Amino acid sequence: MTTVLPHSAYLTGRLLRGTGRQPAFVVIMLIQPMIWLLLFGQLFKRVVELPGFASGSYIDFLTPGVVVMTVLFTSGWAGMAFIDDMDRGVMDRMLSSPVSRIAMMVASVANQAVTIVVQGLIVVVVGLLLGASFSGGVLGVAVMLLASVLLAAAFASLSNGMALIVKTQESLIGFSTMLTLPLSFLSSAMMAREATPEWIQRVSSYNPVDWTVVASREALSADPDWSAIWPRLGGLLAVALVAVWLATRAFRAYQRSQ
Amino acid sequence: MTVPTGRATASRHAAPPPTEEPAIVADELVKTYGDVTALAGLSFTVEAGTVFGLLGPNGAGKSTTIKILTTLSTATSGSASVAGLDVRRNAADVRRAIGVVTQGSGTDPMATGRENLLLAARIHGMRGRAAKSRVDTLLEQFGLTEATRRIVKTYSGGMQRKLDVAMGLVHEPKVLFLDEPTTGLDPQARADMWAEIARLAAHERLTVMLTTHYLEEADHLAGRLLIVDRGEVVAQGSPERLKSELRGDAVVIELAPDADPARAAAAVGGLDATREVTVEGRTIRTRVDHGASAVPAVLAALEKQAVAAVTVARPSLDDVYLRHTGRSFAAAEEVTR
């Protein structure tokens, strides 16, 4: 167990360095959330006039939603790196070495966390430029990023675990799409809860994606209701821990199928 | 965590025990994938400090054997130990004692050679200056110093393979597994790799287990050989011994398209000088005591059949394979593809 931390640090270093050496990928990753915010901001500009929207500015409302969408569409693909490693033989070399299995998961999650924080900050800056007020201030932004990182940890781990089981990019793409799109639409990421059908409202209260959006929106509001934020952050932490644990178990499934 | 360099060095200088335990013992290894049997009870022993070759056509069970011995997979039944450690019960200790070069590459294409080696060293618990100096030594030893700062993606196939082997050696393992180390390399790179493996075998107290489907490679590198086919042991021993078990020379007759292989084989088989006649397509193989004196008799017997070519050769591992499996190595490769 004493190897978990140092191994996590080395493997995270490897992943971040690899990302840094692909400038095209970095640029796309940075531009994508901006485009979403600008596009959705224009598309749904007048949606706040619908009954059920407490907020008067759609950009204020939308920013946490776009951050969460970014989390899903970035972390859902985390397992692709695992499949690259399998195809190249890196996975076999790792698993036949004394590397900590948990560290392999932690490193992937840490890599996602760095990406998510950078992307989240870009969305916040663009939101401010578009006229958002973010009354919750720096603390509100910090809570949003924390919730997003926890959600990213859960999704990245599920994606990694699935990668170890399906072992092909095609299957992973299918799984990831099947999971991310419905989960984002079954949440209040784009639409106020009160403006959605009742069954969606009911489902969304069990949806970790919705917990992230609600906690973030609450924290960014002028007068945050912390009793709505803490339970959701706790729930996200629990989901993330379970996902990391399950994904680490998937190494056994991978080795059994060898 | 202990620093493996220290331990490996200590054991290297220690006086060898009177009877050294084998580096690898496999006992009745069976592996099935659903209905498919990859290994059908494989048993063998590898003495410490030797180069052991696992030879067989594609699909013979070589990679499955390596996967079980390197803890990547578990046997359906049977047991195995590496460096005296049970691969199932002591998997974590086995992983510290072995170096593995997989069939693919195992290097990170977006990292430099040096970064790849440093990561491997650190995973094995080396730190700071010790890790760096070990990495520099290996880069020099494998002639990779000029490519140290380039990312692996830009390496040639031969350079990449050298880096793979260097990574397998970073923690000075007791046993090094090389799964098809020269597959896909050009002839020059293959010759370099052969020299590298021969050097490892000569200079370091290291046991090397390599798999190959190149007969010449096994002949050239391995002190002992295990020939496997369809998950079973076909023959084992030193290449010389395996070849000397075959008396005499091999005569290979290529028939012209209009010849009748069955009749030709019967004619060849009818001679006193010939043994073990086999037919594969239009190729007839046989063994004789003295190749040079037998050829005229063979040609005379084939009078009515058009012969395209006759060759006489000293026994090769191909002949060993043919004798034990009843098919030529090339034909076995065709079948499994």
Side-chain angles (χ1 to χ4, degrees), chain A residues 177-192:
Chain A
T177 313
M178 204 181 70
L179 197 66
T180 50
L181 275 177
L183 281 179
S184 52
F185 289 120
L186 289 175
S187 79
S188 51
M190 295 291 154
M191 190 59 65

Side-chain angles (χ1 to χ4, degrees), chain A residues 131-178:
Chain A
S133 52
F134 301 135
S135 320
V138 176
L139 181 64
V141 171
V143 168
M144 176 174 74
L145 292 179
L146 173 65
S148 303
V149 163
L150 290 173
L151 185 69
F155 268 79
S157 299
L158 287 180
S159 180
N160 288 337
M162 211 56 199
L164 287 168
I165 291 166
V166 300
K167 293 188 258 184
T168 62
Q169 302 205 334
E170 292 77 5
S171 311
L172 184 65
I173 291 170
F175 170 77
S176 190
T177 313
M178 204 181 70

Side-chain angles (χ1 to χ4, degrees), chain B residues 258-311:
Chain B
D258 54 334
D260 179 350
R263 276 205 194 160
V268 172
L271 293 170
D272 289 340
T274 56
R275 298 184 302 271
E276 299 169 34
V277 179
T278 57
V279 188
E280 244 172 51
R282 286 200 303 275
T283 307
I284 296 173
R285 282 167 230 264
T286 182
R287 308 208 57 76
V288 296
D289 286 334
H290 297 288
S293 58
V295 168
V298 168
L299 285 174
L302 286 174
E303 198 177 16
K304 294 199 184 73
Q305 304 291 341
V307 174
V310 176
T311 49

